[in-house]
Amino acid sequence: ENFDPCRPLLVGGLLASEDAMGYQQLRLKKHRWHRKVLKNQDPLVFSVGWRRYQALPVYSMQDANSRHRMIKYTPEHMHCHATVYGPMVPQNTGVVCFQTLSGKLASFRIAATAVVLEVDHAMKVMKKLKLVGTPSKVYKNTAFITGMFNSALEVAKFEGASLRTVSGIRGTVKKAVKAGAALKGVAKGADEKGGPRATEEGTFRASFEDKLLLSDIVFLRGWVRVDVPRFYNPVTSLLNAKGEKWLGMRTVGQLRHERSIPIPVNPDSIYKPIERPARVFHKLQVPKQLQAQLPYKSKPKIESARKRETLEQKRAVVMDAEEKKLATLVQQLNTIRNDRSVKAKAKAAVKRAARAKETAKEEAWRATLQKETRKKRYREEGQAEKRKAMKTHGMK
């Protein structure tokens, strides 16, 4: 129906093993001529062997313990791992990635190049998870934490996980508390209707190595698995009629640009000045009965503030002629010294300003040099890693 005699077609077949679908792990590197970095889970067109299809890659870096940690963007001048869903292909197969197949681009069209490292039906990519909670009740080394989880099921999944407070006290998640249960010794506050406030959903019991304060903040640093989207969209541009364009999934940036939608701003993600009010601790109050039983060296000896002036403050000093001369001389010497000090400080400030200007120029030059050196080192490390990987797979 849409046959075009001006466009040659090459017809071939696929083996039975090549029809299987699964996850592929690629060693990917953004092309140095591509202007922008690639965003995680943005659609890319992969050209693998005879196939061209669109998928949503999940980028990751491999840590020292072989964990694949998800990253939001591809690194500059370095390789990273990309996990995509598509048909199975042999290892060491070359891959070329495009963001769009349009031929009207003024810039370089190839977004990245990659090679297939591993093929599996399930890949494990992790990302960091940081949860925050506050203690609602403290019993010695045990505390009840609220606001970290939303249900007892979530608490059950993190039983035994390690906790840490801002002050550095370590702890462990023990067990969830039944929602609505009243904790022993907790002063029940009134809710909007005036009734007693019950325990919130997701409250759990935790054990720490030291006693917490109610003003402490508790953190849980963990890892959660990222699901790789099972999205596979074959490119069928050769089946379209002449003049028709193949339209695949568009990126979020393209959709916002087409519909003139501004980038959403999360107020919690905006950097704000940190204001930490100075903590005022209550004074130590020792009961009078206990003071009477203490030895003299342990009794508080803080004198109360005087309400009346002392004799030295009350009496007037009358100077004779010689003392007046000496006081005048000392005052003149102090005036001369203060004037010299002001001039010396002004001169030092001018010198510091000139020195800071020279230092800024030197730091700017040094930063440029370090950037070029770092870029060169990353390029050499990427090439060395690529050669090593090719040599390893070649030996296999």
Side-chain angles (χ1 to χ4, degrees):
E1 182 180 348
N2 296 330
F3 176 71
D4 185 4
C6 300
R7 178 186 295 168
L9 293 177
L10 182 61
V11 180
L14 296 174
L15 300 177
S17 60
E18 295 178 341
D19 287 334
M21 302 290 287
Y23 293 105
Q24 304 174 40
Q25 194 174 73
L26 316 176
R27 188 178 68 247
L28 182 138
K29 182 178 180 182
K30 183 189 78 70
H31 202 283
R32 67 180 67 180
W33 292 347
H34 192 69
R35 292 183 179 179
K36 298 180 180 179
V37 294
L38 305 178
K39 188 180 178 182
N40 187 48
Q41 294 195 15
D42 260 6
L44 278 182
V45 176
F46 293 86
S47 178
V48 187
W50 295 104
R51 282 190 174 99
R52 288 187 307 165
Y53 59 90
Q54 195 177 37
L56 303 178
V58 175
Y59 303 118
S60 60
M61 296 289 287
Q62 189 172 8
D63 293 338
N65 56 357
S66 299
R67 180 199 293 126
H68 288 278
R69 173 175 47 87
M70 190 193 77
I71 55 178
K72 291 184 179 179
Y73 299 95
T74 54
E76 290 277 359
H77 315 294
M78 284 184 64
H79 288 86
C80 69
H81 289 91
T83 306
V84 298
Y85 179 77
M88 301 287 194
V89 293
Q91 293 182 356
N92 292 335
T93 302
V95 182
V96 181
C97 308
F98 305 89
Q99 272 195 333
T100 177
L101 296 178
S102 175
K104 298 181 180 180
L105 285 179
S107 59
F108 197 67
R109 194 170 58 164
I110 297 178
T113 55
V115 63
V116 178
L117 294 181
E118 189 178 352
V119 178
D120 198 353
H121 289 280
M123 292 287 181
K124 197 173 182 182
V125 182
M126 311 294 287
K127 74 172 180 179
K128 284 184 179 180
L129 181 68
K130 186 176 182 180
L131 303 174
V132 183
T134 53
S136 57
K137 181 60 184 176
V138 178
Y139 299 104
K140 296 183 179 179
N141 289 8
T142 301
F144 292 89
I145 310 300
T146 307
M148 186 175 291
F149 300 107
N150 296 322
S151 64
L153 182 61
E154 292 183 4
V155 179
K157 293 172 72 174
F158 285 90
E159 281 186 6
S162 59
L163 302 171
R164 181 179 283 269
T165 65
V166 176
S167 54
I169 303 174
R170 296 172 296 181
T172 308
V173 178
K174 290 297 183 182
K175 198 172 182 181
V177 179
K178 187 177 180 181
L183 301 179
K184 182 180 178 182
V186 176
K188 296 182 181 180
D191 59 7
E192 296 178 357
K193 298 181 180 179
R197 185 176 55 198
T199 307
E200 295 181 12
E201 185 80 18
T203 303
F204 65 93
R205 178 171 55 88
S207 178
F208 293 88
E209 59 187 4
D210 199 358
K211 186 175 181 180
L212 298 188
L213 297 175
L214 287 176
S215 58
D216 272 330
I217 300 175
V218 183
F219 294 98
L220 188 149
R221 290 190 178 93
W223 296 87
V224 65
R225 184 170 180 174
V226 180
D227 294 329
V228 180
R230 297 171 65 92
F231 176 76
Y232 171 73
N233 182 20
V235 178
T236 57
S237 58
L238 298 178
L239 301 178
N240 294 343
K242 190 174 183 180
E244 290 184 5
K245 293 182 180 179
W246 178 83
L247 296 177
M249 179 184 285
R250 289 168 290 180
T251 63
V252 177
Q254 292 172 348
L255 292 172
R256 285 183 183 147
H257 177 71
E258 292 173 3
R259 302 182 184 183
S260 301
I261 300 175
I263 299 175
V265 178
N266 186 3
D268 295 334
S269 300
I270 299 174
Y271 288 99
K272 302 170 187 175
I274 301 174
E275 297 179 1
R276 292 193 177 96
R279 295 187 63 179
V280 179
F281 296 96
H282 298 294
K283 293 182 179 179
L284 178 64
Q285 298 291 342
V286 182
K288 292 184 179 180
Q289 294 182 357
L290 181 60
Q291 288 185 28
Q293 299 175 8
L294 292 174
Y296 178 76
K297 64 177 183 179
S298 301
K299 289 183 179 181
K301 304 176 183 62
I302 303 173
E303 297 181 1
S304 58
R306 284 180 174 270
K307 296 182 180 179
R308 297 180 180 179
E309 294 182 350
T310 61
L311 181 61
E312 293 180 356
Q313 295 172 344
K314 286 182 179 179
R315 69 185 179 185
V317 179
V318 181
M319 294 185 293
D320 58 5
E322 189 66 27
E323 289 177 345
K324 286 183 179 179
K325 281 185 180 180
L326 289 175
T328 305
L329 179 62
V330 170
Q331 186 178 8
Q332 291 173 349
L333 290 174
N334 285 337
T335 304
I336 294 171
R337 186 188 62 181
N338 293 339
D339 186 49
R340 287 180 178 176
S341 177
V342 170
K343 291 181 179 178
K345 286 181 180 178
K347 192 174 181 181
V350 173
K351 285 185 177 180
R352 281 197 302 271
R355 176 61 182 166
K357 196 173 181 180
E358 293 178 2
T359 306
K361 288 183 180 179
E362 185 177 352
E363 286 181 354
W365 170 80
R366 197 178 300 278
T368 305
L369 181 62
Q370 289 178 353
K371 185 177 180 181
E372 294 295 331
T373 306
R374 195 161 52 243
K375 188 184 294 185
K376 183 179 178 182
R377 188 175 71 250
Y378 288 160
R379 190 184 302 116
E380 292 176 353
E381 288 177 358
Q383 292 174 355
E385 183 183 353
K386 185 177 180 180
R387 286 195 296 270
K388 183 178 178 182
M390 291 176 64
K391 185 177 179 182
T392 304
H393 290 295
M395 291 175 64
K396 290 182 180 179

